[in-house]
Amino acid sequence: MARKKVTVVGAGNVGATAAQRLFERGYMDVVLVDVVEDMPQGKALDIAQSGPVLGVDATITGSNGYEETADSDVVVITAGIARRPGMSRDDLLFTNMKIVGSVVSEVAPRSPNAVIVVVSNPLDAMVQHAYSIASGMGFPKNRVVGMAGVLDTARFRTFLAWELGVSVKDVQAYVLGGHGDQMVPLTQYTTVGGVSISKLLDAEALDRIIKRTQGGGGEIVTLLKTGSAYYAPSAASAEMVDAILLDQKRLLPCAALLEGEYGIDGIYMGVPVILGAGGVERVVELDLTDDEKALLDKSADAVRELVDVMANAPAG
């Protein structure tokens, strides 16, 4: 049986590490694309040479173009720039908007049946923009999805496990909303081995962990000084690819287009979805407390603000 095919666009830290993780799974062939001449080829060659050590027979190809990406089952988009000194948030938004839009315009016609997973920041705005391009090429909303909630939830679960001295495997949680300071951890659905977190941690400790989760990416940027997180984001991306290619029907928090769910309409935002071969096969609506709903609405407002700024992007 032919192996599945995954394209990763962007061979920086997130993209290259995602490509490595996917290659090491062994059941898919990987194409790594970047505009920097020879760089994706070099990284792909290095990763390929780990195959004999790991017992992996899959192939990984580096490219500066898109011909090799044709007929991909999944396309993971990590391309984009990081914010630089003196650059406004809008400058970053407009620059990455052009990059993501260009990538979608190249990959969508070549892989018309793919699921597109967007990882580029600012996440919610970028997946919205990707869909605006892809939908014009026949892509339905369920086949354009954003990676954020899996990462944010992993950070939340990590901090909770450390606080309680338990295995991360036994901590279950959901973090919804936009990928930023406005994200919303749902404490009423947070359990450890089936036990509610409210019975294990006091409100003060839980609030401290929520704040650390909301600033999780920034904490890593501050520590690294010259970059941002990539090990956990690449792992989160790979988990989503597994769910799609293996049709696992995983219940995962992902950025999906909402059309009335949670009382929110017309924007991409992090919510629990069933992720399988069809991409976002269903948005799962959880009962929220009034406080959680208010926080989710506030997060939606922040996402909508970015989408409105994109709508007024300068031409060219």
Side-chain angles (χ1 to χ4, degrees):
M1 194 173 83
R3 279 189 289 267
K4 298 288 190 178
K5 181 175 180 179
V6 178
T7 287
V8 179
V9 184
N13 284 339
V14 175
T17 310
Q20 177 191 0
R21 292 186 189 281
L22 294 169
F23 169 80
E24 289 179 355
R25 279 155 161 76
Y27 74 89
M28 69 190 88
D29 293 327
V30 180
V31 179
L32 181 61
V33 178
D34 201 286
V35 295
V36 178
E37 190 174 350
D38 293 337
M39 189 258 277
Q41 291 90 334
K43 291 191 176 185
L45 184 60
D46 191 12
I47 294 169
Q49 290 167 358
S50 70
V53 179
L54 300 169
V56 171
D57 284 313
T59 64
I60 179 165
T61 306
S63 177
N64 297 125
Y66 289 90
E67 296 309 317
E68 293 90 342
T69 72
D71 301 318
S72 292
D73 296 287
V74 177
V75 176
V76 180
I77 302 176
T78 71
I81 63 162
R83 190 163 163 181
R84 297 173 186 142
M87 178 181 278
S88 73
R89 184 191 64 171
D90 288 358
D91 289 339
L92 176 69
L93 184 68
F94 295 147
T95 301
N96 282 354
M97 196 179 150
K98 287 177 186 171
I99 293 170
V100 169
S102 169
V103 170
V104 174
S105 297
E106 294 282 0
V107 298
R110 291 179 170 87
S111 300
N113 299 311
V115 176
I116 296 174
V117 178
V118 180
V119 184
S120 308
N121 278 319
L123 185 281
D124 306 276
M126 290 304 101
V127 67
Q128 183 107 14
H129 185 56
Y131 175 65
S132 74
I133 305 288
S135 61
M137 300 180 182
F139 274 67
K141 65 177 183 177
N142 57 292
R143 287 200 284 116
V144 182
V145 59
M147 188 292 293
V150 176
L151 170 62
D152 297 331
T153 301
R155 287 172 171 158
F156 189 42
R157 290 171 62 196
T158 299
F159 298 146
L160 288 169
W162 289 351
E163 184 78 13
L164 293 166
V166 300
S167 169
V168 292
K169 296 177 186 176
D170 294 328
V171 182
Q172 295 300 316
Y174 295 107
V175 178
L176 308 188
H179 182 51
D181 297 343
Q182 311 280 357
M183 66 183 73
V184 185
L186 300 184
T187 54
Q188 64 165 321
Y189 294 104
T190 302
T191 60
V192 180
V195 179
S196 171
I197 195 67
S198 62
K199 297 189 182 303
L200 301 169
L201 278 180
D202 60 40
E204 185 182 344
L206 191 53
D207 188 55
R208 171 169 43 81
I209 290 170
I210 287 171
K211 283 186 168 56
R212 190 176 183 190
T213 301
Q214 290 168 331
E219 181 179 358
I220 291 170
V221 168
T222 300
L223 290 167
L224 292 177
K225 297 179 181 63
T226 57
S228 56
Y230 56 97
Y231 294 118
S234 63
S237 306
E239 182 175 48
M240 289 176 65
V241 172
D242 280 340
I244 296 162
L245 292 184
L246 301 176
D247 194 23
Q248 292 174 331
K249 315 291 190 195
R250 293 288 307 278
L251 179 58
L252 297 171
C254 303
L257 182 63
L258 299 180
E259 295 181 316
E261 300 94 343
Y262 292 96
I264 296 165
D265 190 44
I267 61 169
Y268 268 83
M269 202 169 68
V271 290
V273 307
I274 302 297
L275 195 65
V280 176
E281 299 188 351
R282 180 160 57 96
V283 172
V284 177
E285 289 198 72
L286 303 174
D287 290 329
L288 303 184
T289 65
D290 289 343
D291 284 349
E292 287 167 342
K293 181 64 173 71
L295 289 170
L296 199 63
D297 287 342
K298 187 176 177 185
S299 189
D301 288 341
V303 172
R304 204 172 278 111
E305 185 184 329
L306 284 180
V307 172
D308 289 344
V309 171
M310 282 198 307
N312 298 306

